[in-house]
């Protein structure tokens, strides 16, 4: 039943039976509600708030741009903010990735990236290449093609008939696979499973392999073992499959480098960005690719077969330009790397707490997995709804975390994610750990009370 407190509202809420605190202000790592309560934003909203809340420069840049030019259509015109944004993303991106197609959400960027891969092959005369290989678990967005690429059964269950069938390969998940993340690696962790899937499907029929370079919320920030991405790159080259790195969550510095693939030296054929590239101040995403891929379209149909009213938007691009400038001028990506080490060192202490099975991640991205038995790694029963209970207990304690369920076997599995703004201080990291500890004890009590 809807909560009586929200019954008078006309908002179609994300959760229709929940009562939402009303947030009136954000500053740095904190949010404040209308009763004056303070929350530590431990997950940057949805891994989005990297520069922190309340950065006046970004708001001013957007306001100034809206005053000068609020909108022109990307089919008819170009303008300063889109040129500046594209140049900056090209400068930051690896290898020959230098063409930037701005959109709004991460799902849109993934849709456009997959369509680009398909169109590239069609216009190269390889019309038979139309299959997509993806990891499981994974998450690439909620529009139907992005959802098709995702392995998130609870989002897709209702829409199975509408989805494109992808080829699923086990994600490298050192906590849940048979090699337990140690050499000699299993097929999932070594990348061999990607090649097996492509060969089984027939390389001539495969257009693209899409994956998150470091796992996002669907895996709880799993970091593939050394050599994984090098092998995947070789496999894609060998079988002429385009490699799409979905850096919507991990890009813009979240893992301590501009992209999560950067430390590997691997250059994907297509990269998607979103979330942090405009710091949460505007919905901005991007498809980034090389001239050699775009040239095939330029020499063929002449355009990407994907059009949206709000692509290449001046005000959204100005938010991106201002955010990237702020990241650069305040050396915040370097800070994410440095504070990430502090975060992981302090989070290590959580391992001794009840139900904590694993703590993992890189930079300012961490996943904490809860299990019934840390020895056997047996997940908690779904009926306990532990991730949800913990998330509410954390909110009650004043800490915002991001929950995820179902990664262990499609149904069971409880984890929460931390991804604080890059301006987080050591004291605030201590506060996160302290509130986490308190929330965990509280959640254990609450679940116990429910038995
Ligand atoms: C890796 C990844 N790709 C794509 C998306 C979809 O982005 P959006 O929610 O902005 O559509 C997400 C969202 O969480 C994501 O984590």
């Amino acid at each position: 039943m809807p909560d009586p407190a929200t019954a008078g509202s006309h908002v179609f809420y994300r959760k229709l039976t929940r009562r939402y605190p009303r947030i009136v202000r954000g500053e740095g790592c904190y949010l404040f509600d209308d009763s004056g309560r303070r929350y530590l934003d431990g997950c940057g909203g949805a891994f989005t708030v990297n520069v922190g809340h309340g950065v006046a420069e970004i708001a001013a840049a957007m306001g100034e741009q809206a005053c000068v030019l609020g909108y022109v259509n990307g089919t008819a015109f170009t303008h300063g903010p889109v040129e500046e944004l594209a140049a900056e993303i090209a400068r930051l991106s690896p290898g020959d990735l230098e063409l930037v197609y701005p959109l709004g959400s991460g799902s849109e960027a993934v849709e456009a990236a997959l369509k680009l891969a398909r169109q590239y092959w069609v216009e190269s005369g390889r019309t038979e290449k139309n299959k997509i290989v993806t990891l499981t678990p994974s998450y690439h967005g909620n529009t139907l093609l992005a959802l098709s690429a995702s392995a998130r059964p609870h989002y897709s269950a209702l829409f199975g008939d509408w989805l494109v069938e992808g080829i699923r390969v086990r994600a490298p998940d050192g906590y849940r696979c048979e090699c337990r993340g140690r050499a000699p690696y299993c097929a999932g962790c070594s990348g061999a499973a990607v090649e097996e899937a492509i060969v089984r499907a027939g390389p001539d029929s495969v257009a693209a392999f899409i994956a998150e370079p470091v796992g996002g919320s669907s895996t709880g920030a799993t970091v593939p073992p050394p050599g994984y991405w090098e092998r995947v790159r070789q496999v894609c080259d060998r079988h002429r499959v385009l490699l799409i790195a979905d850096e919507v969550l991990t890009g813009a510095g979240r893992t301590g480098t501009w992209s999560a693939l950067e430390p590997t030296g691997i250059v994907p054929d297509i990269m998607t960005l979103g979330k942090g590239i405009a710091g949460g101040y505007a919905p901005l995403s991007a498809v980034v690719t090389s001239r050699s891929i775009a040239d095939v379209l330029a020499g063929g149909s002449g355009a990407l077969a994907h059009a949206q009213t709000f692509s290449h938007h001046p005000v959204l691009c100005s938010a991106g330009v201002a955010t990237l400038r702020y990241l650069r001028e305040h050396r915040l990506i370097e800070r994410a790397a440095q504070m990430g080490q502090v975060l992981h060192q302090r989070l290590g202490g959580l391992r001794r707490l009840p139900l904590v099975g694993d703590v993992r991640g890189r930079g300012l991205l961490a996943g904490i997995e809860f299990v019934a038995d840390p020895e056997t790694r047996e997940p908690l029963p779904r009926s306990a709804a532990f991730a949800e209970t913990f998330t509410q207990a954390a909110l009650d304690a004043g800490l915002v975390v991001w929950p995820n369920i179902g990664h262990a076997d499609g149904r069971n599995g409880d984890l929460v994610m931390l991804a604080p703004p890059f301006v987080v201080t050591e004291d605030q990291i201590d506060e996160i750990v302290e509130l986490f500890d308190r929330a965990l004890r509280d959640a254990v009590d609450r679940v116990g009370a429910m038995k």
Side-chain angles (χ1 to χ4, degrees), residues 47 105-108 110 139-142 212 216-217 246 248-249 275:
F47 315 91
S105 69
S107 302
E108 292 167 27
V110 168
Y139 185 63
H140 298 290
N142 237 300
E212 300 152 89
S217 56
D246 182 357
V248 165
L249 189 151
K275 295 190 185 275

Side-chain angles (χ1 to χ4, degrees), residues 23-188:
I23 298 300
V24 293
R25 189 167 69 84
E27 190 183 324
C29 291
Y30 293 103
L31 297 167
F32 300 86
D33 73 13
D34 56 357
S35 71
R37 260 205 91 191
R38 193 178 83 164
Y39 303 84
L40 210 175
D41 189 358
C43 54
F47 315 91
T48 304
V49 181
N50 49 5
V51 297
H53 295 283
V55 176
E57 289 96 313
I58 299 174
M62 292 174 71
E64 280 160 24
Q65 182 56 45
C67 287
V68 174
L69 174 69
Y71 180 80
V72 282
N73 191 270
T75 317
F77 297 106
T78 189
H79 50 80
V82 76
E83 296 292 343
E84 224 184 307
L85 177 75
E88 182 63 2
I89 291 179
R91 190 184 71 74
L92 289 161
S93 298
D96 58 355
L97 297 186
E98 56 167 319
L99 291 185
V100 178
Y101 193 107
L103 288 151
S105 69
S107 302
E108 292 167 27
V110 168
E111 294 276 333
L114 290 168
K115 288 180 178 174
L116 171 61
R118 170 70 183 141
Q119 193 176 348
Y120 169 81
W121 288 120
V122 171
E123 298 199 15
S124 301
R126 301 289 307 271
T127 51
E128 72 286 6
K129 280 174 103 55
N130 68 354
K131 293 183 185 150
I132 303 163
V133 177
T134 72
L135 296 180
T136 179
S138 66
Y139 185 63
H140 298 290
N142 237 300
T143 49
L144 292 180
L145 186 56
L147 195 54
S148 301
S150 306
R152 301 291 286 133
H154 67 278
Y155 283 134
S156 53
L158 286 176
F159 311 113
D161 292 347
W162 296 351
L163 302 180
V164 174
E165 207 175 320
I167 299 164
R168 308 237 177 262
V169 178
R170 269 186 62 183
D173 179 358
Y175 186 66
R176 296 228 152 262
C177 64
E178 56 272 24
C179 76
R180 301 218 152 178
R182 286 190 289 271
Y185 297 119
C186 63

Side-chain angles (χ1 to χ4, degrees), residues 192-204:
V194 176
E195 180 152 38
E196 283 160 20
I198 292 172
V199 169
R200 213 176 316 120
D204 287 344

Side-chain angles (χ1 to χ4, degrees), residues 252-407:
R254 179 48 66 192
T255 63
T257 45
W258 167 247
S259 68
L261 264 193
E262 191 174 302
T264 68
I266 294 304
V267 182
D269 299 297
I270 302 172
M271 176 168 75
T272 52
L273 295 167
K275 295 190 185 275
I277 58 169
Y281 289 82
L284 182 69
S285 63
V287 177
V288 191
T289 194
S290 62
R291 278 188 203 278
S292 60
I293 288 190
D295 281 350
V296 170
L297 276 57
S301 63
L304 175 63
H306 182 87
Q308 293 191 234
T309 302
F310 294 118
S311 79
H312 304 71
H313 191 286
V315 180
L316 305 190
C317 290
S318 76
V321 170
T323 302
L324 299 184
R325 184 183 305 132
Y326 196 88
L327 282 170
R328 188 178 66 243
E329 287 179 356
H330 294 80
R331 300 183 63 77
L332 286 184
I333 296 181
E334 292 85 338
R335 186 181 169 86
Q338 185 199 341
M339 296 312 289
Q341 290 192 357
V342 177
L343 178 73
H344 287 283
Q345 187 258 325
R346 307 277 160 90
L347 289 180
L350 298 178
R351 288 175 193 274
R352 62 184 163 71
L353 297 180
L355 307 186
V356 173
D358 196 28
V359 181
R360 52 185 179 252
R362 187 202 286 165
L364 284 174
L365 180 68
I368 297 105
E369 177 155 356
F370 301 115
V371 290
D373 180 346
E375 277 306 308
T376 62
R377 306 184 179 187
E378 184 197 335
L380 288 148
R382 187 78 291 273
S383 55
F386 192 77
E388 297 91 322
T389 307
F390 174 85
T391 301
Q392 186 57 49
L395 196 67
D396 294 344
L399 174 67
V400 191
V401 299
W402 187 270
N404 184 66
I405 55 168
H407 60 281

